Amino acid sequence: MQPTRVLVADDSRIFRLLVSEVLRDRGIAVVEASNGREALEHTLTERPELLILDALMPLLSGFDVLSKLREKAPGYEPIVFIVTAVYKSRRWESEARQTYRVHEYLEKPIEPEELLKTIARYFPDVPA
């Protein structure tokens, strides 16, 4: 199975462009958000199978997005990756996995090959 739609939410335009290009090259539709509020809105309306959320974004953090999403759409359970350039420790990763039910916790910078391998764990049909 391959995701048909992925949300890439990050305040870094360059990061969004890089990840979006890698995914679109594999036939995956991408929805982009530049802040947490946009991420929440797009997620609630588009229901992507995979969320790639920056931990620290304007308006709502990636963690805030997940909290609000779980309140507003309790039955919706997408695969969630948190990416971060700031919160780099096992403590943050552990908390993200336990409290926010994050599937993967990735530290920036992320190489495209690493991202694709990680996605393939959940969506084996995504070509590397």
Side-chain angles (χ1 to χ4, degrees), residues 80-108:
V80 178
F81 294 0
I82 287 285
V83 294
T84 185
V86 179
Y87 301 114
K88 294 183 175 186
S89 77
R90 290 285 177 215
R91 182 182 75 85
W92 285 107
E93 179 178 356
S94 178
E95 182 176 330
R97 289 180 185 275
Q98 292 174 4
T99 305
Y100 298 97
R101 299 191 310 253
V102 168
H103 296 83
E104 295 291 335
Y105 193 85
L106 306 170
E107 294 181 4
K108 294 178 184 176

Side-chain angles (χ1 to χ4, degrees), residues 7 38-48 51 53 65 69 76 78:
L7 172 80
E38 285 179 9
L40 181 60
E41 291 170 6
H42 287 310
T43 300
L44 288 169
T45 58
E46 311 247 354
R47 301 287 173 116
L51 308 179
L53 301 172
V65 170
L69 180 62
Y76 170 55

Side-chain angles (χ1 to χ4, degrees), residues 3-10 15-16 19-20 23-24 28-54 57 62 65-66 69 76 78-83 115 119:
T4 56
R5 189 171 305 127
V6 174
L7 172 80
V8 177
D10 198 298
F15 181 83
R16 287 194 320 270
V19 173
S20 296
L23 296 174
R24 286 182 179 124
I28 299 169
V30 177
V31 178
E32 294 183 31
S34 61
N35 63 59
R37 188 170 295 141
E38 285 179 9
L40 181 60
E41 291 170 6
H42 287 310
T43 300
L44 288 169
T45 58
E46 311 247 354
R47 301 287 173 116
E49 294 88 359
L50 172 61
L51 308 179
I52 300 174
L53 301 172
D54 187 12
M57 292 184 283
V65 170
L66 292 174
L69 180 62
Y76 170 55
I79 302 297
V80 178
F81 294 0
I82 287 285
V83 294
L115 178 63
I119 292 172

